[in-house]
């Protein structure tokens, strides 16, 4: 009897959000192998066969299979073995390796194409990814991958056949005091960030997302192959540079160029190395965003400049005229505590350190999702949100709750990650791109007028002209996160 | 009212943030290194895999560490650069190196060896990085 797994309504899964209850039968995972068209290999009862001159290709595949407990090898299109026997003769008549793409579009018959697809079912579900990786390295294999596990298309909230327009939900673009007034500076020359490059440092991004510009360059580091990291980077980019238009979102500085640099270098985290790499690729007037936090001495998350090498890398970047924006972190930590005396959390690195504030009560949706209640109840707008770090070095804040942007799929889901949007990007993660976008708008205006502002000057302007932080129950002004940028006022000082 | 709302939200909201919404921990295999800063006047000779002082003194720690350990500059371009052409911050950054440990080795177990080395001014465990 098949085992049933049951989802809960409003549940976040590794893949995305689930808004309805459904049951998934316990089907086995299996690997789909697409043989190269020109490889004269075909499946047999327990493995692969080939004529004598291509025997090494079949043997190599069979050696891989012999390492696993295989339940079945069969045609992916349900063909019998005798029906695919002709593929060997056809394959031998095809051009040499490397021509698969060329011949694919030239009227090969459907039977032959389907004969290239083989299902391999391991007895142990956990073997499928390893088996797929090993098969992918085989010379006779064009592609090998674990078959997707389909779920009902209606599962994700907001799924739409065509991407919807989420711009009305991007309250952070609106005028102060609710938003940062991005829309008010867009009509100014350079006010959309033209001529400015932003480099986001974290771990992964979906650069194929439909609402991100194709020009985004990955300039260094190795991505972390995890959907949580990928959604995060996608959401960050969406806030800053997503494309204007009738669908999706629009970035605060949507005429700025974006680059990305992973903090993983040489197989380990090297945030300082990533900052230095980004610095080398940028020029004065550009911006670096550090979208990372790490566990500090109290066991709570702190800003990355706590570590000395990272502090030095930030100082070196700002000395070159590059504005560094840094998430303060979500540790509910007070950076002014004695334990941080003499550390980077009580010194000026030159970065703009960003806390998370509570957004206004409008632009809210709930869709029945999650354990929380409406954010109208979580605190006073522009007061410190309870998880945000705070202290004298925290310069400004951004919306730290329910920011609408690309990724995650709760606002619009569906089969393709490239069309996912969220209404719920949160934390100092969502706050920092708001400030980085504001920096790019101001630097675009400054460049149009002649020269970019120094990082110190731009920070001073944002702090001086921003809409002040307010207190709330349990979150007094002494828990400093600074003001929310107000670009309309700030642009007058550029 | 506000306190009550925060208190009741806190657990639920943080739990789903930690479940992966805005939060993701670093894979542990990316944290098998120690960050070390050399004392002024010391450099790392990559070909001989030793620390070398301006006075010619040579020190090695790799022979006391698990096989497969390696030492690399945190910013290789700065480590190779002419120090007179670097800013103060860059010169400081050029003194940082990463001791990368082989799979299975833990930074904590190897901290003491690095701390004892006379060429090293400071050594820290890797920051446990996550997404904010």
């Amino acid at each position: 009897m098949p085992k049933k797994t049951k989802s809960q309504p409003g549940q976040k899964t590794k893949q995305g959000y689930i808004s309805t209850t459904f049951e998934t039968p316990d089907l086995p995972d299996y690997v789909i192998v697409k043989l190269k068209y020109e490889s004269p290999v075909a499946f047999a009862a327990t493995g692969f066969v080939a004529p004598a001159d291509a025997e090494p290709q079949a043997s190599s595949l069979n050696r891989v299979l012999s390492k696993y407990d295989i339940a079945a090898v069969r045609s992916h299109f349900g063909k019998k073995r005798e029906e695919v026997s002709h593929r060997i003769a056809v394959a031998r008549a095809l051009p040499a390796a490397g021509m698969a793409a060329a011949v694919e579009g030239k009227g090969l018959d459907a039977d032959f194409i389907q004969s290239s697809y083989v299902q391999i079912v391991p007895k142990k579900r956990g073997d499928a990814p390893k088996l797929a990786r090993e098969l992918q390295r085989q010379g006779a294999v064009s592609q090998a991958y674990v078959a997707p596990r389909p779920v009902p298309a209606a599962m994700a909230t907001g799924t739409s056949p065509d991407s919807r327009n989420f711009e009305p939900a991007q309250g952070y673009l609106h005028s102060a005091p609710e938003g940062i007034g991005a829309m008010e500076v867009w009509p100014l020359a350079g006010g959309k960030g033209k001529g400015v490059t932003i480099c986001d440092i974290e771990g992964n991004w979906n650069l194929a997302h439909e609402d991100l510009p194709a020009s985004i360059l990955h300039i260094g580091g190795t991505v972390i192959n995890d959907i949580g990291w990928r959604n995060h980077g996608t959401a960050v980019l969406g806030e800053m540079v997503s494309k204007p238009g009738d669908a999706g979102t629009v970035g605060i500085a949507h005429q700025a160029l974006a680059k990305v640099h992973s903090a993983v270098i040489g197989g380990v985290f090297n945030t300082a190395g990533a900052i230095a790499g980004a610095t080398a690729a940028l020029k004065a007037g550009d911006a670096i965003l550090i979208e990372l936090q790490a566990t500090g001495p109290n066991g709570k998350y702190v800003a990355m400049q706590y570590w000395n090498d990272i502090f030095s890398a930030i100082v070196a970047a700002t000395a070159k005229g590059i504005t560094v924006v840094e998430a303060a972190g979500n540790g509910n930590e007070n950076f002014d505590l004695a334990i941080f005396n003499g550390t980077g959390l009580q010194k000026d690195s030159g970065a703009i350190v960003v806390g998370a504030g509570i957004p206004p009560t409008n632009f809210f949706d709930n869709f029945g999702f999650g354990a929380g209640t409406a954010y109208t109840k979580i605190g006073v707008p522009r007061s410190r949100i309870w998880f945000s770090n705070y202290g004298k070095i925290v310069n400004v804040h951004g919306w730290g709750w329910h920011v609408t942007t690309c990724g995650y799929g709760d606002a619009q889901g569906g089969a393709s990650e490239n069309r996912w949007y969220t209404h719920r990007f949160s934390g100092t993660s969502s706050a920092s791109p708001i400030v980085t976008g504001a920096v790019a708008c101001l630097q675009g205006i400054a460049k149009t007028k002649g020269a970019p502002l120094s990082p110190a000057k731009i920070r001073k302007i944002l702090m001086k002209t921003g809409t002040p932080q307010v207190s709330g129950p349990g979150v007094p002004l002494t828990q400093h996160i600074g003001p929310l940028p107000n670009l309309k006022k700030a642009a007058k000082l550029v | 009212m506000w306190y009550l709302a925060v208190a009741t939200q806190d657990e639920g909201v943080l739990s789903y943030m930690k479940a992966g919404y805005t939060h993701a921990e670093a894979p542990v295999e990316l944290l098998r290194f120690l960050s070390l800063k050399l004392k002024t006047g010391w450099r790392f000779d990559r070909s001989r895999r030793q620390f070398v002082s301006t006075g010619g003194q040579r020190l090695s720690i790799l022979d006391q560490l698990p096989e497969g350990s390696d030492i690399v500059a945190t910013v290789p371009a700065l480590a190779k650069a002419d120090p007179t052409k670097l800013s103060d911050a860059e010169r400081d950054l050029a003194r940082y190196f990463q001791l990368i440990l082989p799979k299975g080795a833990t930074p904590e177990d190897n901290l003491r060896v690095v701390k004892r080395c006379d060429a090293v001014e400071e050594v820290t465990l890797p920051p446990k990085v996550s997404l904010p």
Side-chain angles (χ1 to χ4, degrees):
Chain A
M1 187 175 161
K3 184 184 161 191
K4 301 272 183 179
T5 53
K6 192 173 183 179
S7 73
Q8 299 300 314
Q11 182 186 356
K12 171 74 177 71
T13 70
K14 196 173 178 188
Q15 290 79 21
Y17 289 91
I18 297 168
S19 62
T20 56
T21 302
F22 69 99
E23 293 188 343
T24 308
D26 190 28
L27 298 170
D29 278 340
Y30 63 92
V31 175
I32 298 172
V33 172
K34 182 186 178 190
L35 296 166
K36 286 182 180 168
Y37 294 132
E38 69 274 19
S39 292
V41 176
F43 78 91
T46 57
F48 291 90
V49 292
D53 59 346
E55 175 57 29
Q57 291 186 43
S59 298
S60 185
L61 289 167
N62 291 332
R63 273 198 297 278
V64 174
L65 297 190
S66 69
K67 296 185 207 169
Y68 298 87
D69 201 0
I70 302 296
V73 179
R74 59 194 175 211
S75 164
H76 188 51
F77 288 92
K79 293 179 179 299
K80 293 179 179 166
R81 282 204 300 282
E82 51 273 27
E83 288 179 285
V84 300
S85 59
H86 74 292
R87 81 157 266 112
I88 288 177
V90 175
R92 300 183 89 169
L94 285 174
M99 296 296 289
V103 299
E104 191 164 12
K106 292 194 175 175
L108 285 176
D109 73 74
D111 279 345
F112 176 74
I113 291 171
Q114 291 182 0
S115 73
S116 305
Y117 287 86
V118 182
Q119 272 187 17
I120 301 173
V121 188
K123 284 186 180 166
K124 285 191 217 159
R125 172 180 283 186
D127 282 348
K130 288 181 283 183
L131 177 59
R133 281 196 297 273
E134 284 203 60
L135 288 167
Q136 181 65 70
R137 291 196 286 267
Q138 296 298 306
V141 172
S142 169
Q143 280 183 302
Y145 52 93
V146 179
R149 296 179 71 82
V151 293
M155 181 192 78
T157 51
T159 303
S160 169
D162 294 303
S163 292
R164 304 204 315 263
N165 184 357
F166 295 102
E167 292 176 19
Q170 292 180 269
Y172 51 98
L173 301 173
H174 295 190
S175 303
E178 288 84 11
I180 63 166
M183 288 172 161
E184 291 174 288
V185 298
W186 285 350
L188 304 178
K192 295 170 185 167
K194 192 169 185 180
V196 179
T197 302
I198 299 165
C199 185
D200 177 32
I201 295 176
E202 47 186 302
N204 201 350
W205 309 261
N206 176 15
L207 299 183
H209 193 283
E210 64 172 10
D211 208 24
L212 294 178
S215 58
I216 299 175
L217 283 179
H218 180 173
I219 60 170
T222 311
V223 299
I224 298 167
N225 191 14
D226 174 88
I227 195 160
W229 287 77
R230 191 162 63 244
N231 270 325
H232 190 279
T234 307
V236 165
L237 291 173
E239 286 185 57
M240 300 189 294
V241 296
S242 58
K243 296 183 290 188
D246 294 336
T249 56
V250 58
I252 294 164
H254 53 270
Q255 287 186 354
L257 281 175
K259 294 182 177 181
V260 296
H261 198 306
S262 173
V264 178
I265 300 172
V268 296
F269 265 100
N270 182 353
T271 307
I275 296 167
T279 301
L282 300 178
K283 57 186 184 303
D286 292 337
I288 291 173
L289 170 57
I290 303 172
E291 273 283 353
L292 299 165
Q293 63 182 2
T295 309
N298 284 335
K300 297 175 173 182
Y301 299 120
V302 298
M304 296 305 289
Q305 71 177 59
Y306 172 77
W307 286 270
N308 291 339
D309 57 332
I310 297 168
F311 188 93
S312 289
I314 295 171
V315 174
T318 54
K320 291 197 165 179
I322 297 162
T323 302
V324 178
V325 181
E326 181 185 11
N330 300 341
N332 185 26
E333 180 65 284
N334 177 3
F335 291 167
D336 298 334
L337 293 175
I339 193 172
F340 298 120
N341 289 353
T343 75
L345 298 183
Q346 293 186 6
K347 291 190 290 190
D348 183 9
S349 66
I352 300 175
V353 181
V354 181
I358 292 177
T361 54
N362 42 351
F363 316 117
F364 178 67
D365 73 286
N366 198 12
F367 290 154
F369 165 79
T373 51
Y375 66 36
T376 51
K377 294 181 184 174
I378 67 170
V380 179
R382 278 182 289 111
S383 66
R384 182 182 75 87
I385 201 162
W386 68 91
F387 52 74
S388 177
N389 291 335
Y390 56 94
K392 291 189 183 73
I393 69 152
V394 183
N395 304 115
V396 289
H397 79 263
W399 284 24
W401 189 249
H402 285 192
V403 163
T404 296
T405 182
C406 304
Y408 291 99
D410 57 276
Q412 177 173 289
S416 173
E417 218 179 290
N418 298 343
R419 302 178 69 190
W420 287 359
Y421 296 88
T422 179
H423 287 308
R424 295 180 177 82
F425 192 42
S426 301
T428 48
S429 284
S430 66
S432 303
I434 288 176
V435 174
T436 311
V439 167
C441 292
L442 293 180
Q443 290 289 34
I445 295 167
K447 282 188 163 191
T448 303
K449 290 185 174 179
L453 303 170
S454 69
K457 176 84 172 170
I458 207 158
R459 183 173 71 180
K460 191 174 177 184
I461 289 175
L462 287 173
M463 292 174 71
K464 185 177 178 183
T465 58
T467 310
Q469 176 190 354
V470 301
S471 61
V475 283
L477 286 175
T478 49
Q479 296 179 356
H480 185 259
I481 57 168
L484 178 70
N486 178 348
L487 283 174
K488 185 180 179 184
K489 278 190 179 177
K492 291 176 182 168
L493 299 184
V494 173
Chain B
M1 273 306 282
W2 291 113
Y3 283 110
L4 180 63
V6 170
T8 52
Q9 278 250 338
D10 198 298
E11 190 177 43
V13 169
L14 287 182
S15 67
Y16 91 71
M17 288 175 73
K18 282 181 179 174
Y21 192 39
T22 63
H23 184 94
E25 298 285 348
V28 71
E29 67 269 20
L30 301 179
L31 302 176
R32 50 183 172 78
F33 69 94
L34 289 162
S35 179
L36 55 100
K37 184 180 188 182
L38 296 186
K39 289 177 180 167
T40 307
W42 285 84
R43 65 183 176 83
F44 182 65
D45 179 344
R46 184 139 182 84
S47 60
R48 295 196 184 180
R49 294 160 62 82
Q50 290 175 327
F51 298 118
V52 188
S53 73
T54 46
Q57 187 184 355
R58 288 185 170 272
L59 294 172
S60 176
I61 56 170
L62 286 170
D63 51 1
Q64 302 162 61
L65 294 164
E67 192 177 344
S69 299
D70 195 12
I71 293 172
V72 297
T74 300
V75 184
L78 293 182
K80 287 180 204 158
D82 176 355
T84 62
K85 293 182 178 168
L86 298 178
S87 67
D88 289 347
E90 286 172 331
R91 266 198 300 280
D92 189 62
L93 190 52
R95 291 164 57 197
Y96 283 93
F97 288 78
Q98 287 186 312
L99 165 63
I100 300 178
L101 296 162
K103 281 182 183 167
T106 63
E108 291 81 358
D109 290 344
N110 295 283
L111 187 63
R112 188 175 294 175
V113 171
V114 186
K115 270 187 175 170
R116 281 200 307 251
C117 177
D118 284 340
V120 175
E121 182 172 302
E122 67 179 44
V123 55
T124 54
L125 292 167
K128 289 186 176 155
V129 179
S130 60
L131 291 170

